[in-house]
Amino acid sequence: KSIHQKEREKLDKLKDELEKNTRAEEKSNEKIAEDKRAVTRAQEDLATNDNDQKDATAAITLQQAEVTRARAGNADVYKAANKSLEEQQDAKKKLQVRAEDLHKKIDGWNNEIATEGRNVAAARQAQAQNTDAITKQKLLIKDLETKLKAVR
């Protein structure tokens, strides 16, 4: 292979690297957007969950009063009221666990967003370096072509 061909191959390789870095940046940007949408949905779910917990707390308070009233009366009514109270408390606990899970997921997505942000910065830096190297390589090839024409 001639020097000219080798230099053209180097240029093609640099262009391929630039394309690879561009795709990496696009992929990271897509992941960031996806994670931001997930965080938004989770925050909306958390708001709903918070309202549900408040409703559950109010229902538990009412049911506790019912259990207190039933304690003095029929044993079956008391058992039923107490069972209902326990079910409501379990339901609230599930809401709390769900909220914790959402917070953990949000933290995970935020970590991914930060990581992908760093990946975007690295890809942009690599693109800038590739672009500079491509420019230099094109100048080198042009210089070689000029010298080859002078020799012929």
PDB file of all heavy atoms in Angstrom, residues 131-151:
ATOM      1  N   THR A 131     -12.484  15.364  15.590  1.00  0.00           N
ATOM      2  CA  THR A 131     -12.649  16.382  14.550  1.00  0.00           C
ATOM      3  C   THR A 131     -11.321  17.066  14.263  1.00  0.00           C
ATOM      4  O   THR A 131     -10.959  17.285  13.104  1.00  0.00           O
ATOM      5  CB  THR A 131     -13.715  17.409  14.978  1.00  0.00           C
ATOM      6  OG1 THR A 131     -14.951  16.708  15.218  1.00  0.00           O
ATOM      7  CG2 THR A 131     -13.944  18.462  13.918  1.00  0.00           C
ATOM      8  N   ASP A 132     -10.587  17.375  15.312  1.00  0.00           N
ATOM      9  CA  ASP A 132      -9.266  17.994  15.149  1.00  0.00           C
ATOM     10  C   ASP A 132      -8.321  17.044  14.406  1.00  0.00           C
ATOM     11  O   ASP A 132      -7.614  17.459  13.484  1.00  0.00           O
ATOM     12  CB  ASP A 132      -8.702  18.357  16.528  1.00  0.00           C
ATOM     13  CG  ASP A 132      -7.405  19.132  16.446  1.00  0.00           C
ATOM     14  OD1 ASP A 132      -7.334  20.075  15.628  1.00  0.00           O
ATOM     15  OD2 ASP A 132      -6.455  18.798  17.192  1.00  0.00           O
ATOM     16  N   ALA A 133      -8.325  15.781  14.803  1.00  0.00           N
ATOM     17  CA  ALA A 133      -7.451  14.798  14.151  1.00  0.00           C
ATOM     18  C   ALA A 133      -7.847  14.606  12.685  1.00  0.00           C
ATOM     19  O   ALA A 133      -6.980  14.436  11.822  1.00  0.00           O
ATOM     20  CB  ALA A 133      -7.505  13.467  14.900  1.00  0.00           C
ATOM     21  N   ILE A 134      -9.131  14.625  12.405  1.00  0.00           N
ATOM     22  CA  ILE A 134      -9.603  14.479  11.014  1.00  0.00           C
ATOM     23  C   ILE A 134      -9.125  15.664  10.177  1.00  0.00           C
ATOM     24  O   ILE A 134      -8.639  15.484   9.042  1.00  0.00           O
ATOM     25  CB  ILE A 134     -11.140  14.350  10.966  1.00  0.00           C
ATOM     26  CG1 ILE A 134     -11.554  12.969  11.476  1.00  0.00           C
ATOM     27  CG2 ILE A 134     -11.672  14.590   9.562  1.00  0.00           C
ATOM     28  CD1 ILE A 134     -13.054  12.811  11.716  1.00  0.00           C
ATOM     29  N   THR A 135      -9.236  16.852  10.724  1.00  0.00           N
ATOM     30  CA  THR A 135      -8.773  18.046  10.009  1.00  0.00           C
ATOM     31  C   THR A 135      -7.286  17.945   9.697  1.00  0.00           C
ATOM     32  O   THR A 135      -6.858  18.211   8.572  1.00  0.00           O
ATOM     33  CB  THR A 135      -9.064  19.311  10.847  1.00  0.00           C
ATOM     34  OG1 THR A 135     -10.460  19.375  11.105  1.00  0.00           O
ATOM     35  CG2 THR A 135      -8.607  20.575  10.135  1.00  0.00           C
ATOM     36  N   LYS A 136      -6.500  17.556  10.687  1.00  0.00           N
ATOM     37  CA  LYS A 136      -5.055  17.399  10.483  1.00  0.00           C
ATOM     38  C   LYS A 136      -4.758  16.306   9.459  1.00  0.00           C
ATOM     39  O   LYS A 136      -3.874  16.464   8.616  1.00  0.00           O
ATOM     40  CB  LYS A 136      -4.368  17.080  11.813  1.00  0.00           C
ATOM     41  CG  LYS A 136      -4.328  18.252  12.763  1.00  0.00           C
ATOM     42  CD  LYS A 136      -3.697  17.873  14.084  1.00  0.00           C
ATOM     43  CE  LYS A 136      -3.717  19.055  15.049  1.00  0.00           C
ATOM     44  NZ  LYS A 136      -3.214  18.687  16.374  1.00  0.00           N
ATOM     45  N   GLN A 137      -5.526  15.210   9.539  1.00  0.00           N
ATOM     46  CA  GLN A 137      -5.315  14.106   8.604  1.00  0.00           C
ATOM     47  C   GLN A 137      -5.651  14.537   7.177  1.00  0.00           C
ATOM     48  O   GLN A 137      -4.949  14.186   6.232  1.00  0.00           O
ATOM     49  CB  GLN A 137      -6.149  12.891   9.022  1.00  0.00           C
ATOM     50  CG  GLN A 137      -5.811  11.603   8.303  1.00  0.00           C
ATOM     51  CD  GLN A 137      -4.400  11.116   8.601  1.00  0.00           C
ATOM     52  OE1 GLN A 137      -3.791  11.454   9.611  1.00  0.00           O
ATOM     53  NE2 GLN A 137      -3.860  10.322   7.692  1.00  0.00           N
ATOM     54  N   LYS A 138      -6.713  15.305   7.017  1.00  0.00           N
ATOM     55  CA  LYS A 138      -7.080  15.799   5.681  1.00  0.00           C
ATOM     56  C   LYS A 138      -5.988  16.707   5.120  1.00  0.00           C
ATOM     57  O   LYS A 138      -5.667  16.638   3.923  1.00  0.00           O
ATOM     58  CB  LYS A 138      -8.412  16.567   5.750  1.00  0.00           C
ATOM     59  CG  LYS A 138      -9.617  15.672   5.862  1.00  0.00           C
ATOM     60  CD  LYS A 138     -10.907  16.502   5.926  1.00  0.00           C
ATOM     61  CE  LYS A 138     -12.136  15.629   6.002  1.00  0.00           C
ATOM     62  NZ  LYS A 138     -13.371  16.429   6.120  1.00  0.00           N
ATOM     63  N   LEU A 139      -5.429  17.557   5.991  1.00  0.00           N
ATOM     64  CA  LEU A 139      -4.334  18.428   5.555  1.00  0.00           C
ATOM     65  C   LEU A 139      -3.116  17.610   5.148  1.00  0.00           C
ATOM     66  O   LEU A 139      -2.448  17.922   4.147  1.00  0.00           O
ATOM     67  CB  LEU A 139      -3.966  19.422   6.657  1.00  0.00           C
ATOM     68  CG  LEU A 139      -4.985  20.521   6.941  1.00  0.00           C
ATOM     69  CD1 LEU A 139      -4.582  21.327   8.180  1.00  0.00           C
ATOM     70  CD2 LEU A 139      -5.145  21.437   5.735  1.00  0.00           C
ATOM     71  N   LEU A 140      -2.822  16.560   5.906  1.00  0.00           N
ATOM     72  CA  LEU A 140      -1.696  15.685   5.587  1.00  0.00           C
ATOM     73  C   LEU A 140      -1.909  15.008   4.234  1.00  0.00           C
ATOM     74  O   LEU A 140      -0.996  14.956   3.400  1.00  0.00           O
ATOM     75  CB  LEU A 140      -1.511  14.627   6.686  1.00  0.00           C
ATOM     76  CG  LEU A 140      -0.414  13.586   6.464  1.00  0.00           C
ATOM     77  CD1 LEU A 140       0.953  14.266   6.443  1.00  0.00           C
ATOM     78  CD2 LEU A 140      -0.462  12.512   7.524  1.00  0.00           C
ATOM     79  N   ILE A 141      -3.130  14.521   4.010  1.00  0.00           N
ATOM     80  CA  ILE A 141      -3.443  13.863   2.734  1.00  0.00           C
ATOM     81  C   ILE A 141      -3.342  14.868   1.589  1.00  0.00           C
ATOM     82  O   ILE A 141      -2.776  14.560   0.533  1.00  0.00           O
ATOM     83  CB  ILE A 141      -4.841  13.213   2.789  1.00  0.00           C
ATOM     84  CG1 ILE A 141      -4.813  12.000   3.727  1.00  0.00           C
ATOM     85  CG2 ILE A 141      -5.313  12.804   1.394  1.00  0.00           C
ATOM     86  CD1 ILE A 141      -6.176  11.419   4.041  1.00  0.00           C
ATOM     87  N   LYS A 142      -3.854  16.059   1.792  1.00  0.00           N
ATOM     88  CA  LYS A 142      -3.789  17.093   0.754  1.00  0.00           C
ATOM     89  C   LYS A 142      -2.329  17.422   0.437  1.00  0.00           C
ATOM     90  O   LYS A 142      -1.950  17.586  -0.721  1.00  0.00           O
ATOM     91  CB  LYS A 142      -4.545  18.338   1.201  1.00  0.00           C
ATOM     92  CG  LYS A 142      -4.728  19.368   0.130  1.00  0.00           C
ATOM     93  CD  LYS A 142      -5.652  20.474   0.583  1.00  0.00           C
ATOM     94  CE  LYS A 142      -5.937  21.421  -0.582  1.00  0.00           C
ATOM     95  NZ  LYS A 142      -6.961  22.394  -0.265  1.00  0.00           N
ATOM     96  N   ASP A 143      -1.501  17.511   1.484  1.00  0.00           N
ATOM     97  CA  ASP A 143      -0.076  17.782   1.305  1.00  0.00           C
ATOM     98  C   ASP A 143       0.587  16.649   0.526  1.00  0.00           C
ATOM     99  O   ASP A 143       1.399  16.892  -0.379  1.00  0.00           O
ATOM    100  CB  ASP A 143       0.587  17.964   2.675  1.00  0.00           C
ATOM    101  CG  ASP A 143       2.028  18.426   2.563  1.00  0.00           C
ATOM    102  OD1 ASP A 143       2.285  19.326   1.744  1.00  0.00           O
ATOM    103  OD2 ASP A 143       2.884  17.895   3.313  1.00  0.00           O
ATOM    104  N   LEU A 144       0.223  15.399   0.872  1.00  0.00           N
ATOM    105  CA  LEU A 144       0.775  14.244   0.146  1.00  0.00           C
ATOM    106  C   LEU A 144       0.370  14.271  -1.325  1.00  0.00           C
ATOM    107  O   LEU A 144       1.181  13.981  -2.213  1.00  0.00           O
ATOM    108  CB  LEU A 144       0.309  12.928   0.781  1.00  0.00           C
ATOM    109  CG  LEU A 144       1.022  12.477   2.041  1.00  0.00           C
ATOM    110  CD1 LEU A 144       0.342  11.246   2.622  1.00  0.00           C
ATOM    111  CD2 LEU A 144       2.492  12.163   1.753  1.00  0.00           C
ATOM    112  N   GLU A 145      -0.900  14.600  -1.565  1.00  0.00           N
ATOM    113  CA  GLU A 145      -1.382  14.668  -2.942  1.00  0.00           C
ATOM    114  C   GLU A 145      -0.644  15.747  -3.729  1.00  0.00           C
ATOM    115  O   GLU A 145      -0.298  15.548  -4.895  1.00  0.00           O
ATOM    116  CB  GLU A 145      -2.891  14.923  -2.962  1.00  0.00           C
ATOM    117  CG  GLU A 145      -3.707  13.730  -2.523  1.00  0.00           C
ATOM    118  CD  GLU A 145      -5.190  14.029  -2.355  1.00  0.00           C
ATOM    119  OE1 GLU A 145      -5.582  15.222  -2.387  1.00  0.00           O
ATOM    120  OE2 GLU A 145      -5.956  13.062  -2.166  1.00  0.00           O
ATOM    121  N   THR A 146      -0.403  16.863  -3.086  1.00  0.00           N
ATOM    122  CA  THR A 146       0.344  17.946  -3.743  1.00  0.00           C
ATOM    123  C   THR A 146       1.753  17.490  -4.082  1.00  0.00           C
ATOM    124  O   THR A 146       2.257  17.741  -5.186  1.00  0.00           O
ATOM    125  CB  THR A 146       0.396  19.195  -2.828  1.00  0.00           C
ATOM    126  OG1 THR A 146      -0.936  19.565  -2.499  1.00  0.00           O
ATOM    127  CG2 THR A 146       1.105  20.346  -3.483  1.00  0.00           C
ATOM    128  N   LYS A 147       2.397  16.805  -3.157  1.00  0.00           N
ATOM    129  CA  LYS A 147       3.765  16.305  -3.393  1.00  0.00           C
ATOM    130  C   LYS A 147       3.767  15.246  -4.479  1.00  0.00           C
ATOM    131  O   LYS A 147       4.669  15.206  -5.300  1.00  0.00           O
ATOM    132  CB  LYS A 147       4.343  15.749  -2.103  1.00  0.00           C
ATOM    133  CG  LYS A 147       4.702  16.824  -1.089  1.00  0.00           C
ATOM    134  CD  LYS A 147       5.255  16.235   0.203  1.00  0.00           C
ATOM    135  CE  LYS A 147       5.568  17.331   1.186  1.00  0.00           C
ATOM    136  NZ  LYS A 147       5.996  16.825   2.480  1.00  0.00           N
ATOM    137  N   LEU A 148       2.736  14.372  -4.485  1.00  0.00           N
ATOM    138  CA  LEU A 148       2.658  13.343  -5.535  1.00  0.00           C
ATOM    139  C   LEU A 148       2.491  13.977  -6.914  1.00  0.00           C
ATOM    140  O   LEU A 148       3.101  13.536  -7.888  1.00  0.00           O
ATOM    141  CB  LEU A 148       1.499  12.387  -5.261  1.00  0.00           C
ATOM    142  CG  LEU A 148       1.721  11.322  -4.197  1.00  0.00           C
ATOM    143  CD1 LEU A 148       0.420  10.566  -3.916  1.00  0.00           C
ATOM    144  CD2 LEU A 148       2.803  10.339  -4.625  1.00  0.00           C
ATOM    145  N   LYS A 149       1.672  15.012  -7.005  1.00  0.00           N
ATOM    146  CA  LYS A 149       1.469  15.713  -8.278  1.00  0.00           C
ATOM    147  C   LYS A 149       2.773  16.374  -8.738  1.00  0.00           C
ATOM    148  O   LYS A 149       3.067  16.410  -9.919  1.00  0.00           O
ATOM    149  CB  LYS A 149       0.360  16.754  -8.155  1.00  0.00           C
ATOM    150  CG  LYS A 149      -1.006  16.160  -8.124  1.00  0.00           C
ATOM    151  CD  LYS A 149      -2.084  17.228  -8.006  1.00  0.00           C
ATOM    152  CE  LYS A 149      -3.456  16.585  -7.886  1.00  0.00           C
ATOM    153  NZ  LYS A 149      -4.506  17.580  -7.650  1.00  0.00           N
ATOM    154  N   ALA A 150       3.532  16.897  -7.764  1.00  0.00           N
ATOM    155  CA  ALA A 150       4.808  17.553  -8.092  1.00  0.00           C
ATOM    156  C   ALA A 150       5.811  16.547  -8.621  1.00  0.00           C
ATOM    157  O   ALA A 150       6.622  16.856  -9.483  1.00  0.00           O
ATOM    158  CB  ALA A 150       5.331  18.291  -6.878  1.00  0.00           C
ATOM    159  N   VAL A 151       5.762  15.326  -8.087  1.00  0.00           N
ATOM    160  CA  VAL A 151       6.705  14.271  -8.518  1.00  0.00           C
ATOM    161  C   VAL A 151       6.362  13.790  -9.913  1.00  0.00           C
ATOM    162  O   VAL A 151       7.237  13.501 -10.715  1.00  0.00           O
ATOM    163  CB  VAL A 151       6.681  13.095  -7.499  1.00  0.00           C
ATOM    164  CG1 VAL A 151       7.456  11.910  -8.014  1.00  0.00           C
ATOM    165  CG2 VAL A 151       7.225  13.545  -6.171  1.00  0.00           C
TER     166      VAL A 151
END
